[in-house]
Amino acid sequence: MSTLAAPAAPTTRPAWFTDLPVLLVAVVWGASYLAAKGITTTHTVIAVLVLRFGIVLPALVAAGWRGLRALTAPQWRGAGTLGLILGGIFLLETYGVVHTSATNAGLIISLTMIFTPLAEAAVTRKRPPRAFLAAAGLSVLGVVLLTQGGGFTRPSLGDGLILLAALARTVHVLAMSRIKAVQDADSLSLTTVQLGSAVAVFAVLAGAGTGEGPWSVAADFGVREWAGLLFLSVFCTLFAFFVQMWAVRRTSPSRVSLLLGTEPLWAAAVGIAVGGERLGVVGLVGGVLVLVGTSWGRRAR
């Protein structure tokens, strides 16, 4: 969700010192689908999103207050535009995970790693390598099989929404690379403005009566729901962002990206081991093809 800053001079610390926290981010992101599914219903999606990001936004504002004051008007507009796209991504992902399994959500969203280079190639009119096209085809085949479960049926509404979320993530990445005003912006400030814009969208939707209100949902939460919400807010948002900022200054952006690319693997592991989800033989083959295809696609790219 943030831009990657240029790495600083290498240190003498062992590689695992940096890799382990980044890998932990991939784990908590993988677990976030099951956590969101556990505390959200169709009628509480907007409320949960307001609460999730409203909790961490003040901390981000306080940490990056100086950088926020230094942003120019074009940078505010650019970051705000990215925030609107980001809000759409979270809406699609959260509504999607309500209507599908956490395993499916984590694996389908990984298609962003395939969609983004394809979209970039279309924009720049540069044909991707054949190996990448083959990997993309393998990933798409994997998703088709994954969404069938135990037999060939119509994909669920949730599967379709998560697929749209993967496409929206691609739009977000491309927009970030093409909006010149934000390319020199401080990553903390940029992320704060984006999340603030997204929360504003969620608040407007909540005020318009889209689902239950945030305060009534919060009042009905028990210990389990609050634990899930704090996990999404503190670990999947605040902790994940600061680890990325910390790690990319101590290693290469490529290494960070590679470690974070294990997110779908952890999503499947948590969904099956903790959530008791089952893929079936066809779905299991599809999930493996998605993982192989996206991994091959990253290397081919």
Side-chain angles (χ1 to χ4, degrees), residues 109-124 126 128 132 136 165-177 294 297-298 301:
I109 202 69
S110 69
L111 285 179
T112 303
M113 291 181 280
I114 296 296
F115 290 157
T116 301
L118 288 176
E120 191 174 21
V123 170
T124 60
K126 293 182 180 179
F132 179 81
L167 291 170
R169 280 194 183 191
T170 296
V171 172
H172 185 263
V173 172
L174 291 180
M176 188 175 291
S177 67
T294 53
R298 285 200 307 272
R301 186 181 61 179

Side-chain angles (χ1 to χ4, degrees), residues 7 13 33 50 59 67 86 105 111 134 139 145 154 159 183-184 189 235 256 269 271-272 278 284 289 301:
R13 292 190 179 98
Y33 300 99
V50 171
L86 189 64
L111 285 179
S139 298
L145 296 178
R154 179 179 298 179
D159 293 333
Q183 292 175 7
D184 295 328
S189 303
F235 288 96
V256 172
I272 293 171
R278 294 293 179 266
L284 182 60
L289 289 181
R301 186 181 61 179

